[in-house]
Amino acid sequence: MSAKSRRQLTELAEQLMEPGDRTVHLMRAQVGKTPVKKNVGATAVTVAASVAVAAIGGGMSMGMLFVKGDVFIAVTDRKVLIFGGRRNRPGPGRLWANAPREAVTVISEKDKFLNHKLLLGVPGAEQPLRLTLAPINPSIRNDGRHLVQLLRQASPATDPR
């Protein structure tokens, strides 16, 4: 996540935090399933355009075949705040969920060779939140592992010790 997106996420999270609450973890992930069947036409157009650009320009061209949405997550001592990504600009957008940390559950976690996938149960959501952490940067995968550890721990605010 870029420094600007991190700063924007921190500012949005601070507006929703209670006094004495502090940010523990910030991360960005892709959300949802890749709609392969719906993107077949877009794939054909992208491949054709890539071939045309490569033929005209004499080089290789890469196009985005499938696009998922982004989600930005801020974990505090007491809450999990989930923001959707903005369509036309990078960074966090509107609030999707504001839930107590102990209410957000890890339904499944798959650490594959190419990516790290999480399925989170979020109160008030119709379906579990499906997150994919891209393999390009290992720190992104570590963000996902750290999120799972935080969600599986007891929240310090509710810890009886």
Side-chain angles (χ1 to χ4, degrees):
M1 175 170 28
S2 71
K4 183 177 180 180
S5 293
R6 185 173 292 278
R7 188 174 54 252
Q8 290 171 344
L9 181 57
T10 302
E11 289 171 2
L12 287 171
E14 285 175 351
Q15 295 172 8
L16 300 169
M17 290 169 37
E18 299 165 1
D21 204 1
R22 67 180 176 86
T23 305
V24 177
H25 186 60
L26 301 171
M27 66 176 283
R28 180 184 144 264
Q30 292 176 326
V31 67
K33 291 174 95 173
T34 305
V36 177
K37 291 178 183 175
K38 290 182 181 179
N39 282 327
V40 171
T43 302
V45 170
T46 302
V47 169
S50 296
V51 169
V53 169
I56 293 169
M60 294 298 292
S61 171
M62 289 291 291
M64 290 297 292
L65 297 180
F66 303 109
V67 178
K68 293 183 180 185
D70 285 336
V71 69
F72 294 83
I73 301 173
V75 180
T76 71
D77 287 333
R78 302 175 189 147
K79 296 180 178 186
V80 176
L81 303 166
I82 303 172
F83 297 90
R86 295 184 283 189
R87 284 187 168 204
N88 299 325
R89 294 179 291 172
R94 69 178 183 85
L95 180 68
W96 280 8
N98 179 353
R101 197 163 131 183
E102 60 275 359
V104 179
T105 58
V106 179
I107 297 171
S108 73
E109 175 184 17
K110 294 179 185 174
D111 198 3
K112 297 184 176 183
F113 175 69
L114 293 177
N115 55 34
H116 191 86
K117 292 187 178 252
L118 300 173
L119 197 60
L120 301 179
V122 180
E126 294 176 11
Q127 302 176 17
L129 188 63
R130 184 183 309 266
L131 301 177
T132 303
L133 299 133
I136 296 170
N137 187 344
S139 69
I140 294 173
R141 293 175 80 162
N142 291 336
D143 279 346
R145 290 183 188 110
H146 187 63
L147 175 66
V148 169
Q149 288 174 351
L150 288 172
L151 293 177
R152 289 189 173 152
Q153 292 174 0
S155 175
T158 59
D159 198 355
R161 285 183 263 156

